[in-house]
Amino acid sequence: VANFQENCSGWQFDREESYDISVARFQLTNGSTYIDLPKELKGKKACVNVKNNDNKCYAAAIAVAILRRKKNAERYDDELKRFMKTLIWEGIELPANPWKASEKFKRNNPGHAINVYEYYEYEKDENQRLSILRVSDKMCESKNKIINLLLYSNDETNHYV
């Protein structure tokens, strides 16, 4: 309505007739260790699924996004672990909460903006779901490197890719 009024539409706002409010229970999930992705995601070849065996998949996913390795990007090897140590993880608990960790990472490592999406798949629900968990407020600043993470969740665990 405001756009129409500001752009000389001739419209005038009088009143609102009704409001719709939706409330849903939301349980925040943390990423943990490696899990295989479903065929639908693997087939797109758009995600690097680091094969970590600890709770550092958040850190590994960020490091892989910054490094952009051409070969064997999914390996959780010494090169990746060394690079992870060059980033500042102070105040970030792993496994990581997508909101708290992303804010702290952004403060600790200026020049990076992190978006987090979630793809979840549960046996009791035949549908797969993709949703936005967090969009960085620094995306519009051209000097920032945009890091897009996907938090994949299933009945057993969660994992950042």
Side-chain angles (χ1 to χ4, degrees):
V1 174
N3 281 342
F4 286 108
Q5 287 180 323
E6 291 171 8
N7 293 320
C8 304
S9 69
W11 285 26
Q12 185 175 353
F13 182 75
D14 183 33
R15 69 180 183 277
E16 290 189 36
E17 296 290 325
S18 65
Y19 295 97
D20 286 332
I21 298 174
S22 299
V23 179
R25 183 178 298 269
F26 179 73
Q27 183 174 347
L28 187 61
T29 56
N30 295 341
S32 59
T33 190
Y34 171 82
I35 51 176
D36 202 19
L37 297 177
K39 282 190 274 184
E40 299 83 36
L41 290 178
K42 271 198 263 187
K44 295 188 184 306
K45 299 188 189 277
C47 299
V48 177
N49 189 6
V50 178
K51 295 181 179 179
N52 65 308
N53 56 2
D54 54 20
N55 285 332
K56 296 180 181 175
C57 67
Y58 177 81
I62 288 175
V64 161
I66 296 169
L67 271 178
R68 295 188 183 267
R69 298 195 287 191
K70 299 289 183 208
K71 285 188 163 188
N72 302 315
E74 74 287 345
R75 284 191 183 167
Y76 192 56
D77 56 14
D78 290 338
E79 176 193 11
L80 185 62
K81 291 175 186 176
R82 274 193 305 275
F83 183 74
M84 287 167 58
K85 288 179 183 176
T86 68
L87 300 169
I88 302 168
W89 302 101
E90 184 179 321
I92 299 174
E93 293 180 34
L94 299 173
N97 167 306
W99 279 292
K100 292 177 185 175
S102 297
E103 278 302 311
K104 288 179 183 175
F105 183 85
K106 183 179 67 176
R107 270 188 257 122
N108 293 346
N109 301 276
H112 295 89
I114 299 176
N115 301 321
V116 182
Y117 304 89
E118 182 181 29
Y119 182 92
Y120 56 94
E121 172 178 70
Y122 300 113
E123 275 187 32
K124 63 182 177 245
D125 182 0
E126 293 178 11
N127 299 314
Q128 292 84 29
R129 304 260 194 264
L130 180 66
S131 59
I132 299 169
L133 288 182
R134 180 187 188 282
V135 175
S136 176
D137 59 344
K138 302 291 184 188
M139 275 189 52
C140 296
E141 296 178 18
S142 61
K143 64 183 185 239
N144 284 327
K145 172 154 182 54
I146 308 297
I147 298 170
N148 291 308
L149 299 181
L150 179 69
L151 180 61
Y152 171 64
S153 303
N154 64 19
D155 286 322
E156 298 167 21
T157 190
N158 312 296
H159 178 61
Y160 286 101
V161 296

